């Protein structure tokens, strides 16, 4: 065969020297190999962290609730409720309300009186794995609900500014109550709900004064319903309306972590629990809603 009939391999000029294009292709892939190796290692570490978190949850929940499902629900709550800090960093929620079936919760608390602390540590690990910043140790509050589906849990999370000033209590609770509900108003103050009917509005005679023109003078009432052991939020035909978690309402029972919007002014409804019980009706007379969080 005539050598002149053979085609020369395509080349590219590099520093004045002719190099086959295939060489550049191979060199590019070699250069990317360390990155691929790093990605594999990173995925391996993520898998290991995930397994450690699920193992910790399995120990805490004693197989009454699936550890993988619990980790997924906690992760979802974190993703749904993170905030953005002044520098653009993602702040993880720091308050978590976990609802379980009452028959699941009682034996879990019996075997581990510090169950909230165990779950808080799992939350801390999930927050770190997701790359969020935490401004305080997570607070976990448990609630046993007879209507909750056995073998499952539901998580509501909110970011609440640490060290909020607490509004003065207007009156003493009427009875010892295992739950102590409270409101976070404008993200600046915490108000304990210590009566059966709490009035919110712009008027100075309101129990909780919200000084904003978007809020009606007598905008909303929170009415304690003993038969369901919850507060009922009732809109008083306000001008700006009331929304609960983004949906317009006239009246609706409240759950811990709900966001009530009065004409656009957001208020968070939360609950603390007495150490002796996480089930039952009312807020605990002996507990404080601003109880210091456990040390990290």
């Amino acid at each position: 065969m005539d050598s002149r009939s053979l085609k020369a391999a395509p080349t590219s000029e590099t520093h004045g020297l002719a190099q086959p294009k295939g060489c550049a292709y191979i060199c590019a892939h070699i250069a990317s190999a360390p990155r691929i190796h790093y990605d594999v290692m990173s995925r391996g570490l993520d898998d290991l962290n995930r397994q450690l978190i699920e193992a910790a949850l399995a120990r805490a929940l004693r197989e009454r609730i699936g550890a993988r499902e619990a980790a997924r629900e906690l992760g979802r709550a974190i993703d749904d409720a993170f905030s953005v800090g002044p520098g653009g960093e993602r702040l993880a929620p720091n308050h978590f309300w976990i609802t379980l079936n009452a028959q699941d919760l009682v034996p879990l608390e019996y075997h581990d009186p510090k169950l909230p602390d165990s779950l808080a540590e799992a939350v801390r690990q999930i927050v770190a794995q997701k790359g969020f910043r935490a401004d305080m140790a997570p607070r976990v509050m448990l609630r046993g609900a007879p209507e909750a589906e056995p073998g499952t849990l539901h998580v509501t999370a909110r970011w609440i500014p640490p060290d909020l000033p607490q509004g003065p209590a207007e009156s003493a609770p009427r009875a010892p109550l295992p739950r102590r509900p409270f409101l976070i108003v404008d993200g600046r103050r915490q108000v304990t709900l210590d009566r059966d009917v709490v009035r919110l509005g712009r008027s100075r005679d309101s129990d909780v004064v919200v000084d904003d023109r978007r809020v009606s003078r007598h905008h909303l009432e929170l009415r304690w319903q003993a038969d369901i052991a919850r507060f009922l939020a009732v809109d008083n035909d306000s001008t700006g309306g009331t929304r609960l978690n983004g949906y317009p309402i006239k009246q609706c029972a409240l759950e811990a972590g709900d966001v009530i919007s009065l004409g656009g002014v957001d208020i968070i409804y939360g609950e603390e629990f007495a150490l002796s019980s996480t089930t039952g009706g009312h807020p605990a007379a002996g507990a404080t809603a601003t109880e210091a969080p456990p040390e990290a």
Side-chain angles (χ1 to χ4, degrees), residues 112-180:
D112 183 4
K114 294 185 177 181
L115 179 61
D117 294 340
S118 302
L119 294 174
E121 174 59 20
V123 168
R124 187 193 65 78
Q125 294 179 28
I126 295 173
V127 166
Q129 183 189 41
K130 287 179 169 290
F132 290 95
R133 187 171 76 82
D135 59 359
M136 60 176 278
R139 302 285 319 276
V140 170
M141 282 121 330
L142 302 176
R143 174 176 177 262
E147 70 275 10
E149 183 179 350
T152 66
L153 56 77
H154 176 72
V155 183
T156 300
R158 292 285 179 260
W159 180 80
I160 296 176
D163 304 322
L164 282 176
Q166 184 178 5
E170 299 293 338
S171 62
R174 297 188 177 184
L177 311 169
R179 292 208 302 273
R180 178 179 288 275

Side-chain angles (χ1 to χ4, degrees), residues 8-14 17-27:
T11 62
S12 60
E13 296 295 330
T14 305
L17 299 176
Q19 294 182 352
K21 287 186 177 179
C23 177
Y25 178 81
I26 295 172
C27 290

